[in-house]
Amino acid sequence: ARRAPSRAPGSTLYSFTWDIMVDWSLVLIRWPRGQWLPSVRLRPNRMYSGRALYCVAIVLDLFLRFLWTTTLIPSERMLEQMPTFIAAVSPFTAAAEVFRRAMWSVLRVESEHLHTEGFRRVALVPLHFDVGRSRRDKPSMQEQQLRSKLVVIGEILVFAVVVVLLAVTAILTRTRDERLNHHDTD
């Protein structure tokens, strides 16, 4: 049990490397002939135009993985000195992990979409419930894209509100329980 914390950074780095190189297929490493250092770059075909978005996702994945690892292996000294701080930070750390997993999912689906060949790759998914409308009643491509973006933004906002409400509930519940336990010991 004493050696487990020393393995956590290595395991976290391995998982991070697996994320960006295998699951997301985002980072490409090439060893040019006659050079000592490899060439590291983002994959050329990406669904989002900005490179900065992908770089931020890589840095966030690394940071949030290590943040989550620290919650799994708290030291006894840390628990004794800062129990209230840990109780207050834990829900936010859990919310950050949920965000990291959601980000991982989006980039994984993007990678799968870009790299899948054959029968599973479809440029257009027919909407069978939309058959009764005439062609002139159908919204334009720009309207459909705008509507899709608004739906995604709405879903993200609902998800964020639910996570924040759960975090606040956890903090208030824990604080109330601590106050009750404190009054019982007096």
Side-chain angles (χ1 to χ4, degrees), residues 44-55:
N45 56 342
R46 298 180 301 270
M47 293 183 78
Y48 302 103
S49 59
R51 291 180 53 150
L53 178 73
Y54 293 96
C55 294

Side-chain angles (χ1 to χ4, degrees), residues 1-182:
R2 245 1 203 160
R3 294 183 182 207
S6 65
R7 293 183 185 150
S11 174
T12 300
L13 284 174
Y14 180 83
S15 297
F16 164 73
T17 304
W18 191 269
D19 283 352
I20 64 172
M21 297 187 74
V22 178
D23 289 337
W24 298 349
S25 304
L26 193 55
V27 175
L28 303 174
I29 297 177
R30 303 276 189 258
W31 288 89
R33 291 183 187 210
Q35 292 187 6
W36 292 95
L37 295 175
S39 167
V40 179
R41 60 185 177 90
L42 292 176
R43 65 175 142 80
N45 56 342
R46 298 180 301 270
M47 293 183 78
Y48 302 103
S49 59
R51 291 180 53 150
L53 178 73
Y54 293 96
C55 294
V56 167
I58 290 170
V59 171
L60 270 176
D61 187 56
L62 179 65
F63 174 75
L64 294 176
R65 276 194 174 275
F66 273 107
L67 180 67
W68 182 249
T69 302
T70 61
T71 64
L72 300 176
I73 50 170
S75 67
E76 291 176 22
R77 189 167 130 199
M78 190 167 79
L79 289 173
E80 291 171 0
Q81 293 178 352
M82 302 183 298
T84 308
F85 176 74
I86 292 172
V89 170
S90 292
F92 296 106
T93 305
E97 177 63 11
V98 169
F99 172 79
R100 188 196 67 77
R101 290 176 184 224
M103 179 183 70
W104 181 95
S105 299
V106 168
L107 290 168
R108 177 68 178 112
V109 168
E110 177 197 34
S111 174
E112 186 68 22
H113 176 72
L114 292 173
H115 296 102
T116 300
E117 298 293 332
F119 72 95
R120 288 188 345 188
R121 184 173 180 135
V122 178
L124 175 69
V125 177
L127 301 176
H128 300 291
F129 56 83
D130 203 22
V131 174
R133 298 171 86 183
S134 68
R135 284 204 182 271
R136 64 182 155 147
D137 291 343
K138 290 188 179 183
S140 69
M141 183 62 91
Q142 286 180 329
E143 290 172 340
Q144 288 176 351
Q145 288 176 343
L146 178 62
R147 190 173 298 134
S148 295
K149 287 179 183 179
L150 291 175
V151 166
V152 169
I153 290 170
E155 289 173 355
I156 290 171
L157 288 174
V158 168
F159 180 74
V161 167
V162 167
V163 169
V164 168
L165 288 175
L166 288 173
V168 169
T169 303
I171 290 170
L172 293 176
T173 304
R174 185 172 287 216
T175 307
R176 186 192 66 187
D177 290 345
E178 287 174 358
R179 274 189 275 135
L180 291 175
N181 289 338
H182 182 69

